[in-house]
Amino acid sequence: MERYLLALDQGTTSSRCILFNRQGEAVSKVQREFSQIFPREGWVEHDATEIWASQMGVALEAMLLKGIGADEIAAIGITNQRETTVVWEKETGKPICNAIVWQCRRTAELCEELKRQGLEETVRARTGLLIDPYFSATKLRWILDHVEGAQERAEKGELLFGTVDSWLIYQLTGGRVHATDPSNAARTMLFNIHTMQWDEELLRIFRIPACMLPRVLPSSGIFGYTDPALFGKSIPIAGVAGDQQAALFGQCGFASGDAKNTYGTGGFLLMNTGDRPITPKQGLLSTVGWQIGERTSYVLEGSVFVCGAVIQWLRDGLGLLKHASDSEKMALRVKDNGGVYLVPAFVGLGAPYWDPYARGSLHGLTRGTGKDHVVRAALESMAYQTADVLLAMQEETGLPLRSLCVDGGASQNGFLLQFQADLLGIPLLRPACVETTAFGAASLAGLAVGVYESLDELRAIRRIDREFCPTMSAQERTKLYDGWKDAVRRSLS
Ligand code: ADP
């Protein structure tokens, strides 16, 4: 009997389920969007019950569509939007309020206050993170402060906290298991990535009762079994990782120095730093990649705020193109950028510049500049920003970069990937299976239940769709990159 791995890919805008066979091929895929709730400017919420219902719905549908029964599923892997904060009643399993989504900025002031108290160094040293509303701790504090009686009930042990993975595990196991994995715990700003435990000092600072926190279990291992009422039979939940970490795992980024970049709306770069966390500078984050058995793999993470979104802007804001994919042939219609640089600092600049006051700008315009140059400059900006983050990572780790694995919507753009390879001077690898995040969760689960015996077996089934090799001269590369640096300088402050 064929044994499948069922991946639950719980994203920010949709819940997806993908069934993989042993060869890592997606045999069934179902996706459902759910409501985005914007109660005020800058606030973002999800209904955790709707997340659960949509996730369960797509799982059943993916199985039914291919006639795959619960007895053919070896294990479930979960990957999820990170940092999003859910609080629910232990007794009933019902959330006490909407989940506060990672994007929500409602705790910006609280974060400013924590920085004024000089806590940045404490947080960085223990969690590898910067103080920012992004992470769960201040969201949880907000819920305990604003939902009536919540702090008191939490202290009495009546309420549980979790990121979305914990929430799904709790529901899937019929309330029997309250657990998370270190890659998700590391995004709460409450978890000590050195001791690999909830940090007592941070719990004290944030006044979070320890009894509401999930148990932290290795990313690959049995978390629990699904309630038999759900699928007709219990299935082990055997792999859990946050979405970006799961993508690096799904790309076989197992070794120190391995890196992946996701070219989505934003850009997410992760580099494996091996078995030690690096204390980051330059606005990079140090976080847990995954834990297998006793062994923890750490990663450095850097993000580009506006990546594929710059193409959306050209399409929807300026009307320069009809489909995002048109950008490739437009960029190739001109022989070079014609001296044009676009710095898409629409919301400031992230690592390694960290300038919230930077704004987008277009440089080097002449009478000869056409829209193809602007489109090309936009695609190139995605590569320059990625290079900026990667070079900062390399500087911090001293690890040589051998190649870069890529995924995300814009990784379908061949011009972009060739330019990126040229700029970095290393090969780029685009996998045949674009579902790297879901496959990462599935393979963590598969390793735990013996569908896969080793990491080498995962390497062996990996298929590369295309490799992009650098062809640009070092001189040309330096000239172009200097031009970008100059354009960035003019966009700061
Ligand atoms: P998300 O981050 O929402 O998961 P995706 O990974 O689906 O996004 O990537 C979508 C982004 O990629 C959009 O911003 C879109 O403009 C961009 N994009 C999609 N296809 C291309 C393409 N062929 N060339 C350039 N950009 C693209």
Side-chain angles (χ1 to χ4, degrees):
M1 185 184 291
E2 174 98 64
R3 305 205 70 200
Y4 297 96
L5 292 163
L6 184 146
L8 299 178
D9 181 357
Q10 207 303 301
T12 307
T13 56
S14 70
S15 293
R16 310 196 319 144
C17 174
I18 302 181
L19 281 164
F20 290 97
N21 62 18
R22 263 201 92 254
Q23 292 72 45
E25 294 157 341
V27 296
S28 184
K29 206 189 294 192
V30 181
Q31 172 165 355
R32 185 159 308 144
E33 293 195 356
F34 58 86
S35 319
Q36 305 292 315
I37 304 163
F38 305 109
R40 289 193 208 178
E41 169 92 33
W43 290 31
V44 191
E45 299 179 354
H46 290 160
D47 175 351
T49 303
E50 193 185 348
I51 286 182
W52 159 235
S54 59
Q55 196 62 79
M56 190 59 207
V58 290
L60 286 173
E61 199 176 330
M63 290 165 66
L64 289 169
L65 278 173
K66 297 287 159 172
I68 293 170
D71 52 354
E72 291 172 89
I73 293 173
I76 294 176
I78 299 175
T79 181
N80 55 290
Q81 53 166 320
R82 304 176 300 172
E83 298 106 9
T84 296
T85 301
V86 192
V87 176
W88 65 94
E89 291 178 343
K90 191 178 195 169
E91 187 65 28
T92 63
K94 292 212 168 73
I96 64 165
C97 58
N98 279 337
I100 303 184
V101 178
W102 58 273
Q103 298 154 321
C104 186
R105 307 301 295 175
R106 79 181 63 184
T107 57
E109 231 169 82
L110 174 55
C111 288
E112 286 309 315
E113 174 57 28
L114 295 166
K115 285 186 208 166
R116 274 196 295 276
Q117 290 173 19
L119 286 170
E120 228 160 350
E121 215 24 67
T122 309
V123 167
R124 193 200 319 265
R126 289 160 189 257
T127 67
L129 306 175
L130 298 157
I131 294 180
D132 194 273
Y134 208 80
F135 307 108
S136 318
T138 59
K139 300 182 195 293
L140 175 53
R141 187 63 256 148
W142 192 94
I143 291 174
L144 295 178
D145 283 336
H146 291 84
V147 177
E148 209 185 318
Q151 178 74 23
E152 196 189 334
R153 294 187 69 195
E155 283 168 11
K156 279 200 274 184
E158 292 173 18
L159 301 181
L160 301 177
F161 152 78
T163 39
V164 170
D165 55 310
S166 294
W167 165 247
L168 292 177
I169 293 169
Y170 198 79
Q171 298 302 326
L172 284 165
T173 59
R176 276 188 294 275
V177 180
H178 182 218
T180 187
D181 95 297
S183 74
N184 277 294
R187 315 296 296 187
T188 60
M189 220 159 84
L190 298 169
F191 188 73
N192 187 315
I193 62 171
H194 305 274
T195 63
M196 296 294 281
Q197 296 190 335
W198 299 114
D199 189 280
E200 281 177 26
E201 174 71 11
L202 292 172
L203 294 183
R204 193 186 57 72
I205 291 169
F206 287 102
R207 291 186 296 123
I208 306 296
C211 60
M212 74 183 310
L213 301 175
R215 260 182 82 195
V216 185
L217 299 172
S219 317
S220 179
I222 305 288
F223 286 76
Y225 293 84
T226 59
D227 186 330
L230 293 173
F231 295 100
K233 181 180 168 286
S234 300
I235 305 172
I237 302 164
V240 176
D243 52 10
Q244 297 307 321
Q245 291 98 324
L248 180 62
F249 197 83
Q251 292 258 32
C252 295
F254 307 140
S256 176
D258 286 349
K260 72 93 195 170
N261 188 41
T262 301
Y263 298 89
T265 307
F268 281 98
L269 257 164
L270 260 68
M271 181 191 270
N272 188 322
T273 62
D275 53 11
R276 64 192 173 108
I278 288 186
T279 303
K281 295 183 286 285
Q282 306 189 68
L284 298 172
L285 307 175
S286 189
T287 199
V288 175
W290 47 82
Q291 187 186 22
I292 300 179
E294 296 278 286
R295 192 146 177 225
T296 303
S297 294
Y298 292 90
V299 297
L300 268 186
E301 176 172 326
S303 39
V304 169
F305 301 149
V306 176
C307 190
V310 69
I311 302 297
Q312 280 167 0
W313 174 69
L314 294 184
R315 186 192 60 195
D316 307 336
L318 298 190
L320 284 191
L321 36 81
K322 221 164 152 198
H323 305 287
S325 55
D326 297 342
S327 59
E328 180 163 5
K329 61 175 188 292
M330 290 175 78
L332 288 167
R333 276 205 297 245
V334 285
K335 70 176 194 320
D336 56 28
N337 68 4
V340 178
Y341 288 90
L342 197 168
V343 183
F346 302 152
V347 291
L349 283 172
Y353 307 104
W354 285 103
D355 182 354
Y357 305 106
R359 282 297 173 268
S361 51
L362 195 53
H363 302 259
L365 304 181
T366 65
R367 269 307 296 270
T369 303
K371 61 182 178 179
D372 294 340
H373 289 110
V374 175
V375 169
R376 182 164 176 140
L379 288 172
E380 290 184 354
S381 78
M382 295 160 69
Y384 287 124
Q385 294 184 95
T386 303
D388 285 341
V389 178
L390 256 184
L391 294 176
M393 285 183 172
Q394 244 184 316
E395 205 172 289
E396 296 212 357
T397 58
L399 294 169
L401 198 64
R402 297 177 294 269
S403 60
L404 178 67
C405 299
V406 299
D407 51 38
S411 71
Q412 290 315 306
N413 190 307
F415 167 80
L416 167 65
L417 297 193
Q418 184 56 49
F419 186 74
Q420 184 79 80
D422 283 339
L423 197 60
L424 295 169
I426 54 166
L428 256 59
L429 305 174
R430 185 170 66 192
C433 169
V434 292
E435 303 292 354
T436 54
T437 307
F439 186 64
S443 50
L444 283 165
L447 275 174
V449 297
V451 169
Y452 304 116
E453 296 290 331
S454 66
L455 296 180
D456 280 339
E457 204 179 330
L458 288 168
R459 284 191 182 99
I461 60 168
R462 180 160 183 250
R463 296 280 168 270
I464 298 298
D465 160 52
R466 198 170 147 195
E467 182 168 349
F468 295 83
C469 293
T471 55
M472 190 182 275
S473 71
Q475 196 187 3
E476 177 71 3
R477 177 187 309 150
T478 307
K479 191 182 116 212
L480 284 169
Y481 200 46
D482 285 349
W484 163 255
K485 289 279 187 195
D486 188 49
V488 168
R489 242 188 323 274
R490 293 159 190 262
S491 308
L492 296 176
S493 307

